[in-house]
Amino acid sequence: MDIARTPSNPDGNPEMADAAMQPKDPPEIRREDYKPFPWIVSETRLDFELGIDCTRVRSTLTVARNAKAEPSPTIRLDGDGIAATVVTVDGEPSQSWVMDGDDLVLTLPGEAHEIGIETEIDPSANSQLMGLYASGGMLCTQCEAEGFRRITFFPDRPDVLSTYTVRMSGPRAQFPVLLCNGNKTGEGGDGDTHWAEWHDPWPKPSYLFALVAGDLVARSDSFTTMSGREVELNVWVREGDLDRTEHAMESLKRSMKWDEEVFGREYDLDLFNIVAVSDFNMGAMENKGLNVFNTKYVLADPETATDGDYDGVEGVIGHEYFHNWSGNRITCRDWFQLSLKEGFTVLRDQLFSADMGSEPVKRIEDVRVLRGIQFPEDSGPLAHPIRPDSYREISNFYTATVYNKGAEVIRMMRTMAGEEAFRKGTDLYFERHDGEAATCEDFVKAIEDGAGLDLAQFRRWYSQAGTPKVAVELDHEGDTARLTLTQTVPPTPGQPDKAPMPIPLKLALIDRESGTHSGERLVVLDKDTAEFTFDGFADKPALSINRTFSAPVSIDREVSREELVFLAAKDDDPFARYEAMQELMTGHLVAAVSGDLGDNDRQAARSDIAQAMQSVIEDDQLDDLMRGELMAMPGQTYIAERMLVADPGLIHAEREALKADLGKRLSDQFHALYDRAEKVPFSLDAEAKGARKVKTLVLAYAAAGDPAKAAELAAHQYERADNMTDRQGALMVLAGLDSAERTGKLIDFYNRYQGNALVIDKWFALQASSLHPQAIEHVKALRDHPDFTLKNPNRVRSLYMAFAANPAAFHAADGEGYRMIADLILELDPINAQTAARFVPPLGRWRRIEEGRAKLMREALERIAQAPKLSRDTFEQVTRSLG
């Protein structure tokens, strides 16, 4: 699964109200308490009589005692806000069942039985978007992590694997398309009602169940697997969206081919369906053979989608398809093992996207996400290992730590093993555990055995939270360079003391005169402190370390601006060159915010940064995609992470001042770059994408250095744009300026795309994330806009998540930004708890913020905590954030 990105209970449904109002003391689930389920559910048969307001579900479970588990005379079937109308055992009405809270508990006397259960649910009232719910007249499901229990009673845990046979029936006019997991085995009907039957031959957990019924059209194609299986492919969307699905289909076919070639994984059904859904909590879901997607990650054409949107569609489609093996054929034993499937699959989608585009640019993008989201998570109250030890609400652990850091940990194994040996390890993993519910330990053991590595100490990466810090010192004497590395892992909640972990660091020692080196080396720091010596250096070399970001650590070293300027211009590793540029700017900004710079030092530092930036602009060996990364300024969150206590206001002011200085110093160079890039015609190739990227960056620097000229240039770009990337880039800059062009272009953009939900999401987000001094007032006004609704997660995120990620506005000194997010959480929690809970972490970073703002952030959290009947999702996030 890809994680993304009105009055309460408006329908007055008491079941949904109860489901949204969980007690404030949910039980703690602990990994060490795991026990196998006492019953095997070998077969699950489901019969759905579909309706928007009332769907009747008949389930038949074939169960037998599990010889590998502790025997039990009862079977507990999870439920959530549902009631059984009929319960049978072996075809006869049963009197041996009771309700224990939400769960149905049956007493079973024999070794094997057939259990029948009927339930009725109201999809239209399901605002939580978990289980079976209605979206714009269609029915769809989201069952990960615990949504299936909102459909029928079932042992809703990932280690209960069953084959599924499903019959769906409903009004032909309302639901002309009936889709489910697996292969279609039959269809028919008479009059106004029709039916379809589906069978999935591969045992799966209930969280992978999927159903979609609605009025849909498909882009169809086919793919022939490496063994000759012909697979029918369909991308299902609403009428009118079909012409925006070509990129999605091509991305799917590229994913299937790549997984065969790189990991040896072949698709295993006759059919693969993707369905785009407007109302969806996540990015997409990997249900076996029927992937349900947020429309954001399916629909794309040049007029409505940016280059980033195109990349997102390709990456998410790849991610969900790759889950067919790393998540479906092998699933996770319990939810503590979530990174088993998600971390591995994120790595697979990162490698795929790198192969489809620019490998160095993709690597930088991935690291930027890690540093912007996961590093703050690791240093805050919500820090947790990639394999957690306990939880109260599992949806809160769909985090950047589990996904992105999990991918980095597996990438480190790949780095230490080498690509060929790593492939042997993954082949062994798939061979050993196909058809099983496995653990993170199973994966590590397979890599260990297949690649011939000793990963005993490496396992600490799975159990210890926190971002390691590596202190670096390079000394030189005679012809020897001596590198001293020291690691520390900061204390995190529940883990005050940490043991050293193996940290693989790629490095090169670069001759300062020639700018060359004798080869990249890999060292592994597996102690608190270690020394490495390198001979043959008459003069002290420049150190390029953590090349390709070989380990998810923070590097701490004393390095002069002169050396950073040199590395920014000469380092042959694209990531290390990017890192030098980032460090050059970050080091200056941290010193400036801390008050450690006089006027002369400030001007000298800015001059050095401008020199490095000019070398990037004028380097004709660079492509513009990479040039754009080197020109980008470090984000405010990353700068704040480099400080013990951060003042967001000062960080913003200093960052904008540096941007303005660069915009003025390099005005001629920036505009020459813009003029060159503007001549590149539109296409989706790397040259054109790079040209669009640097044009937007030039506009951003110009807006800081010469706002009036920037407004004119941005308006010109907006008017001439023949694609969404250029149009949105221009509008992004205009949205932050107080100019007549801003108002006119925002109105034009809305009128041009009114009715296109995904593009109007952009319109909301551009204003909420803008640098405009009145951004908070703009967000308040947009909250009352007729197109805003709390019922659609995309629309909520487009306005409020964009605002929460806007440091200048969110961290307003009077606390108004914090109060707005707290108000949103309280209003949204009864409607969609999972989405509401995702807004808590920005408030939870109060410990790292200066005292005045920290007090206001904590007060906002305390106000949320005092609200009656909070959901489990939000309650856990808030209480952990308060500490």
Side-chain angles (χ1 to χ4, degrees):
M1 179 164 63
D2 183 87
I3 51 176
R5 276 155 184 103
T6 58
S8 70
N9 193 32
D11 298 296
N13 184 282
E15 289 183 357
M16 295 310 300
D18 289 341
M21 296 179 176
Q22 301 292 343
K24 282 196 173 184
D25 55 349
E28 182 179 39
I29 311 299
R30 298 182 301 176
R31 181 167 54 89
E32 65 184 21
D33 293 337
Y34 171 81
K35 293 180 180 179
F37 193 65
W39 296 86
I40 293 171
V41 184
S42 60
E43 184 181 0
T44 300
R45 300 191 301 279
L46 300 170
D47 188 334
F48 288 86
E49 293 180 17
L50 299 170
I52 293 289
D53 300 316
C54 179
T55 289
R56 181 173 290 108
V57 186
R58 300 181 182 88
S59 63
T60 305
L61 313 182
T62 301
V63 305
R65 293 189 184 275
N66 184 356
K68 297 180 179 179
E70 183 179 324
S72 172
T74 62
I75 184 170
R76 176 177 291 271
L77 304 177
D78 300 303
D80 183 359
I82 58 176
T85 57
V86 175
V87 178
T88 64
V89 175
D90 300 327
E92 298 295 328
S94 172
Q95 305 300 320
S96 65
W97 63 277
V98 297
M99 292 298 297
D100 182 9
D102 275 339
D103 300 343
L104 188 153
V105 181
L106 267 164
T107 300
L108 299 177
E111 295 294 315
H113 299 279
E114 189 173 88
I115 300 170
I117 303 171
E118 293 187 18
T119 58
E120 288 186 359
I121 53 180
D122 181 358
S124 69
N126 186 355
S127 65
Q128 299 291 332
L129 310 186
M130 288 294 290
L132 179 68
Y133 64 93
S135 174
M138 64 186 289
L139 293 176
C140 53
T141 56
Q142 170 57 31
C143 292
E144 187 176 354
E146 296 177 340
F148 193 73
R149 64 186 64 186
R150 296 166 67 87
I151 298 173
T152 187
F153 293 98
F154 196 83
D156 189 8
R157 43 188 284 172
D159 61 341
V160 176
L161 308 183
S162 182
T163 59
Y164 283 71
T165 301
V166 179
R167 188 180 195 277
M168 309 157 61
S169 62
R172 189 191 304 270
Q174 189 173 21
F175 307 125
V177 175
L178 302 173
L179 304 173
C180 197
N181 303 92
N183 296 317
K184 182 185 283 190
T185 56
E187 61 183 338
D190 49 20
D192 296 332
T193 301
H194 72 141
W195 58 269
E197 289 183 346
W198 295 77
H199 177 64
D200 186 351
W202 302 102
K204 65 175 180 281
S206 57
Y207 82 82
L208 288 172
F209 173 77
L211 173 158
V212 174
D215 190 359
L216 299 165
V217 294
R219 177 182 292 273
S220 299
D221 208 325
S222 64
F223 180 84
T224 303
T225 70
M226 57 187 180
S227 68
R229 179 195 290 269
E230 189 78 9
V231 181
E232 178 188 340
L233 309 177
N234 296 297
V235 178
W236 297 90
V237 295
R238 296 184 188 281
E239 187 74 43
D241 287 335
L242 199 60
D243 59 350
R244 293 194 283 160
T245 59
E246 180 181 2
H247 180 62
M249 179 61 80
E250 292 305 310
S251 297
L252 174 58
K253 291 191 291 185
R254 286 193 292 269
S255 301
M256 299 176 80
K257 185 174 187 293
W258 183 89
D259 209 19
E260 290 183 345
E261 294 174 347
V262 177
F263 280 91
R265 299 299 103 194
E266 180 179 2
Y267 188 62
D268 51 11
L269 291 169
D270 300 326
L271 183 65
F272 190 93
N273 285 314
I274 288 174
V275 181
V277 177
S278 300
D279 303 291
F280 205 66
N281 284 339
M282 300 293 184
M285 179 62 206
E286 71 266 18
N287 323 287
K288 184 74 176 178
L290 177 59
N291 286 189
V292 180
F293 272 67
N294 192 315
T295 51
K296 176 180 174 66
Y297 295 109
V298 172
L299 305 180
D301 65 9
E303 174 63 20
T304 61
T306 65
D307 295 334
D309 293 331
Y310 271 88
D311 291 344
V313 169
E314 182 176 67
V316 174
I317 283 181
H319 180 95
E320 304 309 335
Y321 174 75
F322 301 146
H323 265 312
N324 186 64
W325 277 90
S326 51
N328 297 359
R329 286 285 288 261
I330 305 176
T331 190
C332 46
R333 186 194 71 179
D334 53 65
W335 291 122
F336 298 103
Q337 319 297 329
L338 182 59
S339 197
L340 170 74
K341 72 182 186 78
E342 295 300 348
F344 186 26
T345 305
V346 168
L347 175 64
R348 277 152 55 73
D349 83 53
Q350 289 176 350
L351 297 174
F352 165 68
S353 294
D355 283 350
M356 296 301 105
S358 167
E359 182 176 0
V361 169
K362 175 58 178 169
R363 188 67 187 129
I364 290 168
E365 291 171 349
D366 294 336
V367 174
R368 187 183 298 119
V369 170
L370 190 80
R371 286 174 167 169
I373 302 175
Q374 196 280 319
F375 275 22
E377 191 169 88
D378 245 354
S379 65
L382 301 178
H384 57 276
I386 62 174
R387 184 189 58 204
D389 293 318
S390 67
Y391 65 81
R392 295 184 185 275
E393 173 51 57
I394 184 54
S395 65
N396 287 333
F397 280 90
Y398 284 76
T399 62
T401 296
V402 167
Y403 279 66
N404 302 78
K405 185 176 180 178
E408 294 296 327
V409 168
I410 298 173
R411 186 186 288 265
M412 283 191 289
M413 287 188 260
R414 183 173 181 262
T415 297
M416 292 187 295
E419 292 183 21
E420 185 176 340
F422 181 76
R423 168 65 190 272
K424 290 179 180 178
T426 60
D427 284 350
L428 185 60
Y429 169 68
F430 291 126
E431 178 186 331
R432 282 180 177 174
H433 301 290
D434 186 14
E436 294 182 0
T439 66
C440 293
E441 171 59 28
D442 292 329
F443 181 84
V444 176
K445 187 69 170 72
I447 301 300
E448 190 172 48
D449 294 346
L453 291 176
D454 180 355
L455 297 174
Q457 185 184 4
F458 189 87
R459 286 166 170 82
R460 291 173 183 167
W461 279 100
Y462 281 87
S463 59
Q464 293 188 163
T467 301
K469 300 183 184 300
V470 178
V472 177
E473 291 184 15
L474 182 67
D475 299 313
H476 179 262
E477 185 175 353
D479 67 348
T480 299
R482 178 176 289 103
L483 178 65
T484 304
L485 302 176
T486 303
Q487 67 165 294
T488 57
V489 187
T492 52
Q495 293 186 337
D497 301 310
K498 309 292 176 67
M501 300 187 290
I503 298 174
L505 294 168
K506 292 181 180 179
L507 60 88
L509 297 167
I510 302 176
D511 180 80
R512 295 172 188 268
E513 291 296 323
S514 66
T516 63
H517 60 84
S518 60
E520 187 173 80
R521 311 160 196 247
L522 177 66
V523 301
V524 178
L525 173 63
D526 56 5
K527 304 179 181 65
D528 289 327
T529 300
E531 283 190 358
F532 305 88
T533 58
F534 309 94
D535 296 326
F537 294 93
D539 298 305
K540 185 177 181 179
L543 174 65
S544 171
I545 193 165
N546 206 18
R547 292 158 68 87
T548 71
F549 200 70
S550 55
V553 301
S554 176
I555 299 293
D556 180 17
R557 60 171 173 163
E558 292 291 333
V559 57
S560 68
R561 290 202 308 268
E562 178 186 14
E563 183 161 324
L564 289 173
V565 171
F566 169 80
L567 291 170
K570 299 295 185 181
D571 203 320
D572 65 336
D573 177 71
F575 177 81
R577 190 174 180 184
Y578 163 82
E579 189 79 320
M581 283 295 299
Q582 292 289 293
E583 182 58 31
L584 188 60
M585 289 186 274
T586 301
H588 163 68
L589 291 170
V590 168
V593 170
S594 303
D596 296 336
L597 289 182
D599 287 342
N600 290 338
D601 288 339
R602 185 186 301 270
Q603 291 306 314
R606 288 179 175 178
S607 177
D608 287 343
I609 294 169
Q611 177 187 338
M613 186 73 74
Q614 183 171 345
S615 73
V616 167
I617 295 172
E618 296 177 350
D619 186 347
D620 59 9
Q621 299 301 306
L622 281 173
D623 63 73
D624 279 339
L625 279 174
M626 188 63 203
R627 194 187 321 276
E629 296 300 333
L630 294 172
M631 289 170 56
M633 295 189 73
Q636 289 186 220
T637 301
Y638 178 61
I639 298 166
E641 280 296 299
R642 298 291 297 273
M643 309 180 71
L644 291 176
V645 177
D647 185 324
L650 287 178
I651 292 174
H652 175 71
E654 288 291 348
R655 186 176 182 274
E656 289 304 300
L658 175 60
K659 190 195 299 181
D661 184 83
L662 292 171
K664 292 172 182 175
R665 287 178 189 260
L666 300 173
S667 176
D668 291 343
Q669 291 88 346
F670 279 135
H671 285 92
L673 175 61
Y674 188 95
D675 291 342
R676 176 181 62 75
E678 194 175 30
K679 295 181 175 67
V680 179
F682 175 82
S683 77
L684 292 174
D685 65 20
E687 180 188 8
K689 290 169 69 174
R692 292 190 288 274
K693 186 176 189 175
V694 296
K695 281 197 296 182
T696 296
L697 279 164
V698 169
L699 287 180
Y701 280 108
D706 188 348
K709 187 173 182 180
E712 181 181 342
L713 187 60
H716 175 74
Q717 176 170 306
Y718 181 93
E719 291 162 1
R720 288 171 52 88
D722 58 359
N723 62 87
M724 178 54 72
T725 305
D726 279 346
R727 184 169 288 117
Q728 178 177 294
L731 192 60
M732 177 197 71
V733 171
L734 287 171
L737 298 175
D738 195 7
S739 66
E741 290 93 342
R742 174 190 187 276
T743 302
K745 295 304 181 284
L746 282 171
I747 292 172
D748 177 80
F749 190 90
Y750 177 82
N751 290 337
R752 183 188 296 255
Y753 296 108
Q754 188 175 8
N756 186 315
L758 292 179
V759 183
I760 296 303
D761 284 343
K762 298 177 189 295
W763 183 77
F764 277 94
L766 285 168
Q767 296 173 79
S769 61
S770 83
L771 296 176
H772 197 284
Q774 300 299 316
I776 288 181
E777 297 306 314
H778 296 158
V779 171
K780 289 179 179 178
L782 289 167
R783 172 63 177 82
D784 295 328
H785 194 279
D787 284 351
F788 183 79
T789 173
L790 286 176
K791 293 182 178 181
N792 180 266
N794 281 359
R795 189 55 46 86
V796 174
R797 288 188 289 260
S798 70
L799 181 61
Y800 283 103
M801 197 59 81
F803 173 75
N806 180 351
F810 175 65
H811 289 291
D814 63 358
E816 182 62 17
Y818 311 143
R819 289 189 289 273
M820 284 175 57
I821 293 300
D823 289 344
L824 168 72
I825 292 168
L826 290 170
E827 188 176 8
L828 185 59
D829 189 59
I831 300 170
N832 188 327
Q834 194 173 102
T835 300
R838 296 193 180 278
F839 285 91
V840 175
L843 292 171
R845 294 171 189 152
W846 59 271
R847 291 172 180 81
R848 300 291 300 276
I849 302 297
E850 57 85 16
E851 184 178 355
R853 288 179 173 86
K855 179 176 180 292
L856 296 171
M857 295 171 81
R858 186 176 176 89
E859 287 174 355
L861 287 167
E862 289 170 342
R863 179 159 64 91
I864 300 168
Q866 291 165 5
K869 298 181 179 177
L870 278 179
S871 69
R872 290 186 308 179
D873 308 65
T874 300
F875 178 77
E876 182 180 29
Q877 292 284 74
V878 170
T879 52
R880 290 177 63 206
S881 295
L882 285 169

